[in-house]
Amino acid sequence: MNLSEATVRALQAAGTKTIFGYPGDPSVGFLEACRTEGTEFILARREGTAGFMAEAWGMLTGRPGAVLSTLGPGSTNLVNAVANAHLDRVPMLSISGQIDTQRVATFTHQVVDQRALFAPVSKWAADLTPNAADPVLRRALRLAMAPRPGPVHLTMHADHVTAEVEGDIIPPPLKAMTIAQLVHAGTPPAAMIAKARRPIILFGISAMQEAAGAEITALADRIGAAIVAAPMAKGTVDENHPRFAGTLDMACQAVMWEFMQSADLVICAGFDPVELIKPWSVKAPVLHIDQVPNIDQVYAAETEIVGPIDAALMMLTDATKEAAGWAEADIATHRARLAAAFDDGRVTGILNPSDVIRVARDVLPSNTIVSVDVGSHKLLVGQGWQPSGPRRFLMTNGLSSMGFSLPAGIVAKHVHRDTPVVAFTGDGGLAMVQSELRLAATLKLGLKVLVFVDNSLNRIELKQMAKQVPSTGTIIEETAIEPLAASMGCNGVMAETETALADALAAAPGETPLVIGARIDPAQYAAQF
Ligand SMILES: Cc1ncc(C[n+]2csc(CCOP(=O)(O)OP(=O)(O)O)c2C)c(N)n1
Ligand SMILES: [Mg+2]
């Protein structure tokens, strides 16, 4: 077994049989190992998008996403995607080639210090060598999956790619056992809860990773809590649940924070402050429940429970008495305010951004998997879309890199061929990665790509408008949706009205990707954020 085969087998043992990437000289032996070992290699158009695909694969499956690049520019092109997975807390193994060991210390052409390059944007950056293949692969995969999950970057030197490895590869268990005992630090949690009349459970990324929805609603029902979602965790709790009170730090921010500030206890359940756009402004005490202690200190927590979130919530529910909590009418009033704020600035007779989301919600099957990009449109999708379950809403809200949605949508459709998939994106974000439409067509993926066409980097242009300075460097050219789609082997259509948009979204998916340009009037955004 050579080093590439060992790596491919270790990934298979971790449940990963798909690797995304872009090759170079040192990759040939690795590609051959994928072929002979039966792992699918998907060739993206660029390392950066291959990395987003690996990240999305990790989000969708909960297993380590995998991406391969060559040395030099291949590795530097990967940095952004690795950083994105790092702040989005997604398990990933990224591998780059490197010049042979004999020359690495002295040669300069295409040689960069990859460990120094990836160290600040990953959980670990290391050399993968044939004499230490087993311990390095074991550590890489275990570390990528351990809380908080994230990417590990490995460097493979050209002379090692097909070198025989020493010893066996022993795959590690990727999950720890649950400790069935509630251990806390600080005020006893039951005492905190007993005092609360208006508790809010704020759940986040790690609650989604543990699919702790049932445990969250059980505790909420027991103590009369309202439930608030962090954007990347959407789908963990059914948003039609009467206690569901919205998504934090997306559209309708002011209404959401006012509601948060009216709480007398906040239970943070796997909430990761990496999703906060503004500093924590809630005065109520916080009960922190997570796989990791409250090491960020973005908020001060009175009590910390560290361990599996689902088990901790279950034990907390068992340990607390039934309480009335919020008056149901108060949550209902808040929800009505939220719904009204979502349409703030809406003008009849034109296609407003919030109309796009309402039409999508009305027309698309409820099990649709949605990905979303970064920009003004993200804030509306993040509040307005209601996913039908965890891992059905792909958003980057840690690093928040533009260009994520299309590659993520492609992977969602590849993994779930029978499920409808819609990738929401801004016109700026699409322009960064649109060459991947060709890959979607080649793979015969009938996903829909919904582009908010506003000829603007709107999220930034809005800041200029607020400062009353001219729009400089934020206007982009019209995206010619139909010819663009056709040149990539896709179908394309412009939708100027709600009806045209509804028809395009309702069209049978088939095997050809459909790019829908929704020509919105962005004026509504100014009233929103
Ligand atoms: C890679 C990257 N570059 C720049 C930014 C900063 N940024 C955030 S939103 C935004 C505008 C996005 O424009 P578009 O995709 O058209 O979406 P819109 O805001 O118009 O909905 C920019 C430039 C970013 N988040 N990521
Ligand atoms: Mg735009």
Side-chain angles (χ1 to χ4, degrees), residues 374-377 400-402 426-429 432 454 456-460:
V374 178
S376 294
H377 67 283
S400 294
S401 176
M402 287 167 68
D427 42 6
M432 284 186 170
D454 55 8
S456 163
L457 304 179
N458 185 271
R459 187 89 188 106
I460 313 305

Side-chain angles (χ1 to χ4, degrees), residues 192 266 268 273 280-288 294 296-304:
M192 287 180 84
V266 179
C268 286
W280 187 257
S281 59
V282 180
K283 298 281 185 295
V286 174
L287 168 57
H288 168 103
N294 184 22
D296 295 307
Q297 289 297 323
V298 170
Y299 52 77
E302 193 169 308
T303 295
E304 298 184 22

Side-chain angles (χ1 to χ4, degrees), residues 104-442:
V104 73
T106 52
F107 214 67
T108 46
H109 178 71
Q110 288 199 319
V111 177
V112 291
D113 179 347
Q114 290 182 14
R115 282 202 283 174
L117 185 66
F118 285 95
V121 295
S122 67
K123 291 183 82 176
W124 188 41
D127 277 359
L128 175 58
T129 57
N131 61 357
D134 174 54
V136 170
L137 285 168
R138 243 186 315 124
R139 181 172 179 207
L141 290 166
R142 186 67 189 97
L143 188 60
M145 289 290 289
R148 295 169 170 144
V152 167
H153 183 268
L154 297 178
T155 297
M156 210 191 265
H157 293 271
D159 52 327
H160 287 161
V161 175
T162 54
E164 287 300 299
V165 300
E166 292 169 16
D168 290 334
I169 300 295
I170 306 160
L174 296 175
K175 261 199 110 160
M177 257 168 74
T178 299
I179 303 162
Q181 196 187 359
L182 194 60
V183 183
H184 69 270
T187 314
M192 287 180 84
I193 290 172
K195 280 195 293 188
R197 297 291 168 268
R198 293 183 315 280
I200 290 179
I201 303 175
L202 170 61
F203 67 90
I205 302 170
S206 25
M208 183 276 293
Q209 288 165 340
E210 290 184 21
E215 291 80 4
I216 291 168
T217 46
L219 179 62
D221 289 340
R222 171 69 56 101
I223 66 172
I227 304 170
V228 172
M232 290 182 69
K234 277 172 78 76
T236 308
V237 168
D238 180 0
E239 300 196 3
N240 293 309
H241 191 287
R243 298 195 172 281
F244 187 79
T247 305
L248 199 64
D249 264 359
M250 289 282 126
C252 321
Q253 267 190 55
V255 176
M256 285 307 299
W257 278 107
E258 217 176 284
F259 184 68
M260 291 292 295
Q261 280 146 5
S262 72
D264 57 2
L265 170 68
V266 179
I267 302 174
C268 286
F271 171 69
D272 190 324
V274 75
E275 293 211 71
L276 284 180
I277 301 173
K278 294 205 175 112
W280 187 257
S281 59
V282 180
K283 298 281 185 295
V286 174
L287 168 57
H288 168 103
I289 304 171
D290 202 354
Q291 289 274 14
V292 292
N294 184 22
I295 41 181
D296 295 307
Q297 289 297 323
V298 170
Y299 52 77
E302 193 169 308
T303 295
E304 298 184 22
I305 302 174
V306 177
I309 298 153
D310 45 3
L313 290 168
M314 220 158 67
M315 286 182 264
L316 210 50
T317 307
D318 291 343
T320 46
K321 287 204 208 72
E322 192 110 13
W326 286 84
E328 257 174 48
D330 288 348
I331 298 181
T333 305
H334 160 74
R335 281 170 60 124
R337 283 188 69 202
L338 196 62
F342 192 73
D343 274 328
D344 268 359
R346 184 174 182 277
V347 176
T348 37
I350 59 169
L351 192 58
N352 302 272
S354 67
D355 299 335
V356 175
I357 289 133
R358 188 171 340 88
V359 169
R361 223 162 48 187
D362 289 349
V363 171
L364 294 170
S366 62
N367 67 336
T368 302
I369 299 175
V370 156
S371 64
V372 63
D373 217 70
V374 178
S376 294
H377 67 283
K378 163 175 155 178
L379 304 187
L380 278 175
V381 177
Q383 188 64 265
W385 179 254
Q386 301 180 322
S388 63
R391 303 191 185 282
R392 295 187 156 260
F393 183 70
L394 308 179
M395 169 193 274
T396 169
N397 203 34
L399 189 69
S400 294
S401 176
M402 287 167 68
F404 171 77
S405 182
L406 174 61
I410 289 172
V411 176
K413 192 65 185 170
H414 184 62
V415 172
H416 298 287
R417 290 229 165 212
D418 298 330
T419 307
V421 172
V422 177
F424 288 92
T425 177
D427 42 6
L430 177 72
M432 284 186 170
V433 296
Q434 61 197 27
S435 54
E436 297 298 353
L437 287 170
R438 184 68 247 184
L439 174 64
T442 303

Side-chain angles (χ1 to χ4, degrees), residues 489-504:
C490 303
N491 294 322
V493 62
M494 271 314 283
E496 318 265 348
T497 62
E498 285 194 28
T499 317
L501 180 62
D503 289 348

